[in-house]
Amino acid sequence: MVQTNPRFAVIGAGIVGVCCALRLQARGFDVCLFDPREPGSATSFGNAGVIADSFIMPYSTPGLWKQLPGMLLSGDGPLKVRWPYFVRGLPWLLRFMSEARVDRTRQVAAELATLGRLCQSSHRELMREHDVDANLMKANGVLKVYRDPRVIENHALEHEVLREHGFPVEVLDGDELRQLEPGLSREFRAAEFLPVMGQVAQSVKLTEAYFEAFVRLGGRHIKESARRFEMQSEGPKRLITDLGIHDVDQVLIAAGAWSRELVNALGIDVPLDTERGYHISVDWCDELVLNRPVMDGENFFVMAPMLDGVRVTSGTEIGGLSLPPDFSRVRRILGYARASLPKLTGAVNREWMGYRPSMPDSKPVIGRSPRHAGVFFAFGHGHLGLTQAAITSKLIEELVMGVPTSVAVAPFSAERFA
Ligand SMILES: Cc1cc2nc3c(=O)[nH]c(=O)nc-3n(C[C@H](O)[C@H](O)[C@H](O)COP(=O)(O)OP(=O)(O)OC[C@H]3O[C@@H](n4cnc5c(N)ncnc54)[C@H](O)[C@@H]3O)c2cc1C
């Protein structure tokens, strides 16, 4: 049995855990990051790299009930259910659907806006403080593009909510769109432009850069899988992993889609499930121009320029943590992407699947354990884990230090589902 003495155990070395570990180590804690995998190599590896500060609308929006049958039947829509997982996924889906109300949409958007306003600046701050190359993050905005301009007329609520919270959205016609993205097919006749959104050139590189800073400050990565905890009245006493026992004073659970089991080991439950997502990466080739992430707003996929190719990402698949990947939908989506971006003719260099850690109300869990001193939670960031990682780490640091938080954390507490 391995015996070490890490005082602060951060469980999970995705973008969320690494940001938190870095801030805590910089604060002088003796931090051990527990993860059997390399930092950033799970879900944080394969996202579209968007720093989506303006994505404050919850994913369960009014009208979803009407759209649901079409989505499920289409096979290529934004939501797919893997039928062997249907019964297990149903409680989450029902909770998700119960959020599809105007009042909840407005409330959740207002709460996510408090994070959204600080997402990009928190990354910039963390990058600056730890000498991370500022060029890793650009701020070229994001486009949502449409063949039928009338689709945008249905987005009045979204535009109103965005503007109410200070996030600009511009509606462009086809000519204005092509000035920004000359490579897009002329089929697209309208767009929504979210000009303040950012993008990371290669998502894993940002996690790696934060991780390197953590190690430079003396932080340690222990390649073990957390299993359970021994608690005492003052808080955690020991962390038991697959390979060892470690004395700890404080614990942060940041294990993405795998956090529920760990939280359960503390006697707490949260309705965390996974929204699986896929990407196919296509080689760059001559004459291909893509200046920023572009979302096809009718077919619900993203084309994101990355250092190693154009990444075409899919919507959501409800299928749990153990079913094998099914690449058929994202392969069909690649066909749509090649039609949308006619010079996207390169070879496929990767097919990938990851596990978005998703709460049914589209909000992460950020806060203290409701039951134990010295235990903190940072998981459930769903579609926005890269975006919200740095502000999450700032809030965790503030909670650990016992100082006022930059934004109210009550809306993100684990207790909200009790
Ligand atoms: C296709 C796709 C596109 C996306 N696009 C975007 C985007 O453009 N912008 C954005 O902001 N977000 C995006 N996301 C979402 C984002 O990628 C996730 O929200 C984010 O990666 C979650 O980070 P995490 O650190 O919580 O989890 P992960 O990156 O999954 O890391 C969790 C880590 O915990 C470890 N772990 C699990 N169990 C244990 C245990 N028992 N002990 C120790 N370690 C454990 C795992 O090994 C893993 O390394 C996208 C997701 C997908 C799938």
Side-chain angles (χ1 to χ4, degrees), residues 354-366:
Y355 302 89
R356 296 183 187 94
S358 297
M359 308 303 293
D361 61 0
S362 306
K363 294 189 293 178
V365 174
I366 306 169

Side-chain angles (χ1 to χ4, degrees), residues 106-342:
R106 286 187 183 280
Q107 185 187 342
V108 171
E111 291 163 351
L112 288 176
T114 64
L115 297 181
R117 283 186 206 103
L118 297 175
C119 286
Q120 222 173 111
S121 59
S122 302
H123 269 299
R124 293 264 179 231
E125 180 184 281
L126 203 55
M127 292 168 84
R128 211 174 33 247
E129 282 173 6
H130 298 285
D131 295 326
V132 172
D133 180 3
N135 294 319
L136 271 181
M137 204 165 94
K138 290 178 281 188
N140 283 349
V142 167
L143 281 162
K144 286 193 200 175
V145 296
Y146 303 88
R147 290 159 195 82
D148 181 356
R150 286 171 304 180
V151 178
I152 296 180
E153 289 165 19
N154 299 328
H155 298 173
L157 174 65
E158 180 175 346
H159 290 192
E160 183 199 321
V161 168
L162 283 176
R163 290 186 181 122
E164 185 187 333
H165 294 291
F167 296 96
V169 51
E170 297 166 20
V171 176
L172 310 182
D173 63 23
D175 291 338
E176 291 166 324
L177 166 61
R178 263 171 291 284
Q179 279 174 20
L180 291 175
E181 289 297 343
L184 282 176
S185 156
R186 297 196 73 81
E187 280 183 359
F188 293 107
R189 295 195 292 129
E192 290 161 311
F193 183 41
L194 299 152
V196 298
M197 302 231 284
Q199 198 209 357
V200 175
Q202 190 80 16
S203 12
V204 72
K205 288 203 181 298
L206 185 61
T207 316
E208 285 169 355
Y210 286 147
F211 176 72
E212 282 160 20
F214 165 71
V215 172
R216 277 199 303 275
L217 292 173
R220 283 170 292 156
H221 177 197
I222 297 188
K223 291 194 165 185
E224 297 177 18
S225 186
R227 291 280 188 264
R228 60 191 177 83
F229 310 91
E230 269 179 36
M231 304 300 289
Q232 55 192 357
S233 53
E234 313 87 81
K237 186 163 184 256
R238 291 201 186 93
L239 167 65
I240 292 100
T241 69
D242 53 344
L243 298 174
I245 299 173
H246 305 272
D247 292 341
V248 294
D249 295 328
Q250 306 196 73
V251 169
L252 171 71
I253 296 181
W258 297 271
S259 299
R260 188 171 187 171
E261 229 174 87
L262 293 165
V263 171
N264 286 170
L266 290 163
I268 298 164
D269 196 24
V270 285
L272 172 70
D273 205 329
T274 180
E275 293 179 80
R276 295 149 56 118
Y278 295 78
H279 86 227
I280 290 185
S281 172
V282 178
D283 284 341
W284 284 102
C285 55
D286 292 346
E287 298 176 46
L288 174 57
V289 177
L290 185 64
N291 298 317
R292 56 183 57 73
V294 172
M295 181 177 173
D296 181 327
E298 285 151 332
N299 291 310
F300 308 102
F301 64 87
V302 176
M303 297 175 286
M306 291 270 166
L307 295 178
D308 64 354
V310 171
R311 209 169 263 193
V312 178
T313 67
S314 75
T316 288
E317 180 182 88
I318 304 296
L321 292 168
S322 50
L323 285 179
D326 171 3
F327 288 100
S328 57
R329 180 171 66 143
V330 70
R331 285 178 191 151
R332 283 195 300 275
I333 284 174
L334 176 61
Y336 302 146
R338 291 200 194 273
S340 305
L341 200 56

